[in-house]
Amino acid sequence: MALTLDIIQEKLLEKFGDQISFFIDPFGVLNFETPKEYNLKILQFLFDDETLRFRFLTDICAVHYPDEKGRELAIVYHLHNLVDNIRIRYKVFTAIETPDIYTATALYECANWMERETYDFFGVNFLGHPNLKRIQNVEEMDYFPMRKEYPMEDQTRTDKDDEMFGRGGTVIYNK
Amino acid sequence: MGRPVRFNINPQKTAIKDAIGFADMPEGFEGEGFYATKFEKVIGLARKNSIWPLPFATSCCGIEFMATMGSHYDLARFGSERLGFTPRQCDLLMVMGTIAKKMAPIVKQVYLQMAEPRWVLAMGACASSGGIFDSYSVLQGIDQIIPVDVYIPGCPPRPEGVLDGILRIQDLVHNESLRRRNSEHYKALLGSYNIQ
Amino acid sequence: MSDLMFPNIKLPEGSLEKQTTTLNLGPTHPATHGVFQNILEMDGERVLSSEQTVGYIHRAFEKIAERRPFYQITTLTDRLNYCSAPINNLGWLMTCEKLFRIKIPKRVDYLRVIIMELARISDHLICNSIVGVDTGALSVFLYVMQYRELIYEIYEEVCGSRLTTNIGRIGGFERNFNAIAFEKLEKFLKEYPRVLKEFEALLQRNRIFMERTIGAGPISAERALNYGFTGPNLRAAGVDYDVRVHTPYSSYEDFDFIIPVGTTGDCYDRFLVRNQEMWQSLSIIEQAYKKVQEFKGAEADVYHADTPEFYLPPKQDVYTKMEELIWHFKIVMGESNIPVGEVYNCVEGANGELGFYLISDGGRTPYRLHFRRPCFIYYQAFNELTKGCMLSDAIVVLSSLNLIAGEMDA
């Protein structure tokens, strides 16, 4: 029997009950989220189950929602079942004060650098990661640049100022 | 259509006189069987036609440089046949591509390892001034860390632009005084970059 | 270590032969590989382990993309895998079209296929000829660069630039392919097969090349999948996963092509897979060209979808007609109705599955744009690929993986 989104939903509900919330987005992809403690259990279940077979981790990334208190950082896992050709998106949310998530490196080798990049950009602390240090930015950097509160430009420049960046300065545009 | 495209559908044969270039002789004193000129001029002439470049290629400009080195826009006809990849043996440091702040100490180290006389060419918008990447991680131009002789604008510059830049470097090499590298002015320039 | 290699020789403790050397295959490489660093622990000539450092060309694309309207992000995507920039551009535009629910006419799809396959050929040419350069065969690279120039000229006819093409608009192309572009395409289709045969004849059954590359850096299919490999590297390991066939986009389902697959996943298999893919790409371009020529009359002038809300109108209309002026203003100033939502779209880049995860909040710029970059993901496997091999094999593995620094660091 071909794998459909209903079967996936059913199996997940059967195993994890009310910890999961689903929705199917307008592009036909099943999105679901659970509390962050369940992330390894879900990934392991999706990997091991013989009908589900989600054995390819496409991507891990994070999104910062500064307005949602208690759920500021979303970590998004994109998984792919290569045999039945189905993609799903799995999100866990965490508060920004304690951004601790269990690492998926034991299950997927490719999660190693993807999690390092997420740590580098957003400060998500992956528990159990073998080598959690910065990967793209310089090691001495002390802030997490992709968070919304930090600007894109280099703040230590002296030759460009706020006015040239379009922020205030001597010329005020009416919004 | 008069566009200079190589794979021209209706190619025209060029006249032989358009395919020959002449080099100028330096000024000097001529006599029967000898020609005397300044040492500077002869060395300049020899140096400019045998520059050994170091292609420090980081990104897209590196691919355009590979196209310039290819047989279509041949760089070797200007004397830069031998590309060195070690700074100890090269004259011209061609920085091609974006230099991120993580890469900046390495560019500086490569520059320091080069022996005088050395020239630096910044190819592309990213090496000249940071290019389209006005972000926290990109060095806004390599002239923040090393002195640059020629800047080639473009993103990426066309191979003809690269060749023009190399010809400007050749002009600089040709006209450089032998005493320049020991002069106060040059030492002050290096001092402003904290290079001894 | 040395004890195993020379069991009859007893070495004193602390002798030099028992220690490993650390070799820095530094950020600057000969043969312009790109900037990434490998620190190798070596026992004599053998590599015991390696550690990778990337980020030497980190340009913060994802942060910049949060400040740029959709059309300006196309210029960022150019610089991801700069050897095959049109694939990145068109992949991004297809992501936008997926979010905005725009349906693309068939002729535009076929023209896009032509451009994407030309880009794939140009990328595989660079990769395979650099593998040749790393094994010492420098001339092949020079032979092949000539035909990349012809591909560049075809791009120039359509979009104006050679390398960082910024090709296409949301809904199609900025101008119709003119007669000169098609003449150049025909010239390419006529002359290129001979060149590719010559390229293969020089390297494929060359004794020295085969001895250098066979057995260098093999990987099994299960490990490759676990490491997130996609693209030619995965296909060389034996898994026939190709996004063009699995989730066809841009009318790829109308074309007839095979997916070449290798067995051991070593450098020779990767080389062969890329060569075969070039033949397949050539066949796809021929089919697409025939299909494009079948459109007659008014249909032959279609080069974009009918979405005035997102398609930047041609300049001559903007300066003469009222409607186009208004649409142009709205699009540039960000007054179009960008839908809220998130979408993940992927295309088959020359290195593998290039994915764009776009979260839009209805504003002029994306809320979050994340690039799933294949190079970044499979470079982690370099340690496993080069365990126990010689230093020269490590170099060949490095170049056969087709690591493009721009895509790795983004």
Side-chain angles (χ1 to χ4, degrees):
Chain A
M1 176 163 67
L3 188 63
T4 64
L5 298 181
D6 295 325
I7 300 182
I8 305 175
Q9 256 178 297
E10 215 179 278
K11 283 196 152 279
L12 282 168
L13 274 172
E14 181 184 326
K15 182 95 195 263
F16 295 96
D18 56 354
Q19 299 293 334
I20 301 198
S21 56
F22 292 96
F23 78 99
I24 298 188
D25 73 12
F27 304 101
V29 174
L30 179 66
N31 291 292
F32 61 98
E33 80 166 84
T34 64
K36 63 184 188 182
E37 295 78 28
Y38 287 87
N39 73 330
L40 278 189
K41 299 196 183 93
I42 296 262
L43 290 173
Q44 190 73 48
F45 175 65
L46 290 169
F47 192 100
D48 292 331
D49 190 286
E50 280 314 311
T51 24
L52 292 180
R53 289 184 291 195
F54 282 94
R55 295 185 178 144
F56 190 78
L57 178 65
T58 302
D59 206 10
I60 302 178
C61 68
V63 193
H64 184 213
Y65 296 103
D67 297 330
E68 299 192 16
K69 299 296 167 207
R71 283 161 56 95
E72 284 94 354
L73 287 175
I75 287 93
V76 185
Y77 295 86
H78 282 94
L79 295 156
H80 193 182
N81 177 336
L82 288 175
V83 182
D84 302 302
N85 197 10
I86 301 193
R87 292 181 192 265
I88 52 175
R89 192 177 296 142
Y90 169 45
K91 293 192 189 181
V92 286
F93 287 86
T94 175
I96 206 157
E97 296 81 19
T98 53
D100 303 314
I101 304 278
Y102 294 115
T103 181
T105 38
L107 191 56
Y108 294 106
E109 291 279 356
C110 52
N112 194 324
W113 278 18
M114 295 187 206
E115 289 177 351
R116 274 180 73 181
E117 192 186 29
T118 317
Y119 165 70
D120 188 1
F121 289 156
F122 290 92
V124 178
N125 181 20
F126 286 95
L127 304 166
H129 193 278
N131 188 17
L132 194 69
K133 47 181 217 252
R134 287 189 180 268
I135 189 169
Q136 303 276 22
N137 290 309
V138 284
E139 303 239 331
E140 297 83 40
M141 195 183 244
D142 51 4
Y143 67 103
F144 298 110
M146 282 290 289
R147 291 192 182 175
K148 295 285 177 186
E149 58 262 23
Y150 298 110
M152 173 179 87
E153 302 92 351
D154 178 12
Q155 293 308 296
T156 58
R157 285 186 77 162
T158 48
D159 52 344
K160 258 192 175 182
D161 53 13
D162 267 343
E163 188 184 339
M164 284 185 92
F165 287 147
R167 288 191 290 263
T170 52
V171 183
I172 315 283
Y173 290 100
N174 288 328
K175 266 263 160 180
Chain B
M1 36 152 203
R3 258 176 298 180
V5 294
R6 179 193 182 215
F7 294 98
N8 201 340
I9 311 301
N10 307 308
Q12 292 166 331
K13 287 231 165 304
T14 50
I16 187 69
K17 58 176 169 48
D18 294 333
I20 300 178
F22 284 101
D24 292 322
M25 254 177 12
E27 309 162 343
F29 180 68
E30 210 176 317
E32 175 119 15
F34 76 95
Y35 182 79
T37 179
K38 282 206 295 201
F39 206 31
E40 229 168 56
K41 294 268 192 278
V42 175
I43 288 189
L45 195 61
R47 269 186 185 156
K48 87 166 186 181
N49 289 322
S50 61
I51 295 181
W52 285 9
L54 194 169
F56 196 97
T58 36
S59 62
C60 348
C61 284
I63 306 293
E64 204 66 320
F65 175 72
M66 279 153 70
T68 311
M69 278 303 293
S71 43
H72 191 186
Y73 298 99
D74 193 7
L75 183 59
R77 56 196 159 125
F78 298 104
S80 305
E81 169 75 45
R82 185 219 185 251
L83 299 179
F85 291 96
T86 161
R88 304 276 183 204
Q89 297 172 355
C90 289
D91 307 310
L92 173 65
L93 175 64
M94 306 177 68
V95 181
M96 305 179 282
T98 323
I99 300 297
K101 296 206 172 107
K102 207 168 177 178
M103 194 67 184
I106 293 159
V107 178
K108 186 132 189 201
Q109 200 175 10
V110 167
Y111 179 73
L112 289 174
Q113 287 177 338
M114 287 171 77
E116 297 287 5
R118 56 191 170 189
W119 291 271
V120 177
L121 176 82
M123 172 178 169
C126 292
S128 309
S129 67
I132 67 175
F133 304 108
D134 190 6
S135 69
Y136 59 87
S137 64
V138 170
L139 193 67
Q140 302 291 306
I142 57 171
D143 50 10
Q144 310 241 347
I145 45 171
I146 53 178
V148 176
D149 292 299
V150 170
Y151 299 84
I152 306 179
C155 189
R158 278 198 65 105
E160 289 95 340
V162 178
L163 293 175
D164 184 48
I166 304 261
L167 289 177
R168 301 287 174 97
I169 288 270
Q170 287 192 339
D171 286 341
L172 284 177
V173 174
H174 184 50
N175 295 323
E176 181 166 307
S177 147
L178 285 179
R179 297 199 184 91
R180 178 181 176 237
R181 305 283 165 175
N182 297 326
S183 65
E184 285 307 314
H185 178 86
Y186 186 69
K187 287 204 174 78
L189 174 67
L190 289 190
S192 68
Y193 285 100
N194 287 331
I195 299 174
Q196 266 68 45
Chain C
M1 293 185 288
S2 296
D3 310 337
L4 299 168
M5 281 171 37
F6 303 105
N8 297 325
I9 302 177
K10 286 277 171 284
L11 294 166
E13 284 303 315
S15 73
L16 200 61
E17 287 80 5
K18 274 187 174 266
Q19 295 165 0
T20 58
T21 19
T22 312
L23 183 68
N24 184 17
L25 227 57
T28 56
H29 293 265
T32 62
H33 274 142
V35 279
F36 34 83
Q37 184 184 31
N38 275 305
I39 303 176
L40 304 170
E41 282 293 322
M42 313 206 43
D43 169 30
E45 191 72 18
R46 293 210 169 259
V47 177
L48 295 174
S49 73
S50 63
E51 187 191 323
Q52 288 82 42
T53 321
V54 296
Y56 287 100
I57 194 169
H58 175 58
R59 296 176 278 195
F61 279 11
E62 297 181 5
K63 187 81 184 175
I64 298 178
E66 290 177 8
R67 303 298 167 90
R68 300 272 180 262
F70 289 82
Y71 273 117
Q72 293 185 4
I73 296 179
T74 329
T75 57
L76 289 181
T77 54
D78 267 334
R79 277 102 180 141
L80 280 174
N81 181 346
Y82 34 78
C83 299
S84 57
I87 300 184
N88 311 335
N89 289 148
L90 294 174
W92 161 246
L93 294 172
M94 286 192 251
T95 310
C96 294
E97 286 156 13
K98 192 168 173 180
L99 182 66
F100 306 150
R101 322 282 202 291
I102 298 176
K103 193 166 170 327
I104 307 293
K106 279 282 174 188
R107 186 170 185 268
V108 174
D109 273 345
Y110 297 147
L111 291 174
R112 280 183 168 173
V113 165
I114 294 179
I115 294 287
M116 285 197 281
E117 294 305 315
L118 281 174
R120 194 184 311 279
I121 290 180
S122 112
D123 196 315
H124 286 332
L125 277 180
I126 285 204
C127 178
N128 274 352
S129 51
I130 296 286
V131 174
V133 165
D134 279 346
T135 52
L138 188 45
S139 354
V140 209
F141 173 72
L142 293 171
Y143 283 178
V144 138
M145 286 309 269
Q146 278 193 65
Y147 279 84
R148 291 197 76 239
E149 295 289 329
L150 182 49
I151 296 179
Y152 280 171
E153 286 188 14
I154 299 177
Y155 295 160
E156 265 182 330
E157 285 301 324
V158 180
C159 68
S161 66
R162 291 158 46 102
L163 184 73
T164 47
T165 48
N166 195 6
I167 205 168
R169 299 267 184 265
I170 295 178
F173 284 96
E174 55 267 66
R175 58 180 68 84
N176 201 352
F177 282 35
N178 54 11
I180 301 175
F182 284 128
E183 274 174 29
K184 290 192 177 164
L185 187 62
E186 279 174 23
K187 188 180 170 84
F188 182 78
L189 290 173
K190 204 164 55 142
E191 297 188 357
Y192 185 63
R194 187 185 54 80
V195 172
L196 192 52
K197 262 209 238 333
E198 191 178 11
F199 180 77
E200 286 188 341
L202 281 172
L203 286 178
Q204 212 158 292
R205 302 304 291 174
N206 182 332
R207 183 76 190 191
I208 301 175
F209 185 77
M210 286 169 74
E211 300 233 343
R212 280 300 294 270
T213 49
I214 293 183
I219 190 166
S220 67
E222 295 81 42
R223 289 305 287 164
L225 284 174
N226 208 311
Y227 268 107
F229 273 46
T230 44
N233 296 329
L234 181 64
R235 293 196 274 279
V239 180
D240 62 344
Y241 170 56
D242 186 333
V243 181
R244 294 174 290 177
V245 173
H246 267 61
T247 40
Y249 53 92
S250 185
S251 301
Y252 266 106
E253 62 267 14
D254 297 347
F255 296 97
D256 182 27
F257 59 101
I258 61 172
I259 306 177
V261 161
T263 43
T264 52
D266 60 11
C267 296
Y268 192 58
D269 276 2
R270 290 192 272 268
F271 179 82
L272 290 177
V273 163
R274 288 199 170 96
N275 267 348
Q276 260 306 311
E277 282 194 8
M278 283 200 269
W279 284 114
Q280 294 303 312
S281 289
L282 208 53
S283 142
I284 297 176
I285 299 178
E286 279 169 8
Q287 293 172 44
Y289 185 46
K290 266 205 225 32
K291 288 191 208 279
V292 166
Q293 286 174 311
E294 283 165 15
F295 288 96
K296 297 283 183 250
E299 285 197 338
D301 290 333
V302 168
Y303 59 95
H304 63 95
D306 188 19
T307 54
E309 194 161 326
F310 298 109
Y311 178 79
L312 270 178
K315 272 291 189 280
Q316 57 263 35
D317 292 344
V318 172
Y319 288 132
T320 48
K321 301 188 193 148
M322 189 53 149
E323 289 251 329
E324 274 73 5
L325 178 67
I326 298 176
W327 284 122
H328 184 266
F329 182 83
K330 288 180 88 169
I331 292 170
V332 170
M333 287 293 150
E335 307 286 328
S336 352
N337 291 331
I338 311 276
V340 177
E342 51 185 81
V343 65
Y344 174 80
N345 187 35
C346 54
V347 292
E348 179 73 19
N351 282 335
E353 180 185 327
L354 177 66
F356 300 88
Y357 178 47
L358 169 65
I359 302 183
S360 158
D361 60 349
R364 190 169 167 234
T365 63
Y367 186 78
R368 170 90 168 100
L369 174 59
H370 175 73
F371 302 104
R372 190 253 181 211
R373 309 175 311 273
C375 274
F376 178 71
I377 293 174
Y378 63 62
Y379 188 40
Q380 304 170 60
F382 187 73
N383 193 3
E384 191 169 310
L385 287 173
T386 53
K387 250 192 186 15
C389 73
M390 301 278 206
L391 177 60
S392 31
D393 291 344
I395 308 288
V396 174
V397 169
L398 193 66
S399 58
S400 80
L401 280 180
N402 199 15
L403 296 163
I404 309 278
E407 191 179 57
M408 205 167 355
D409 296 347

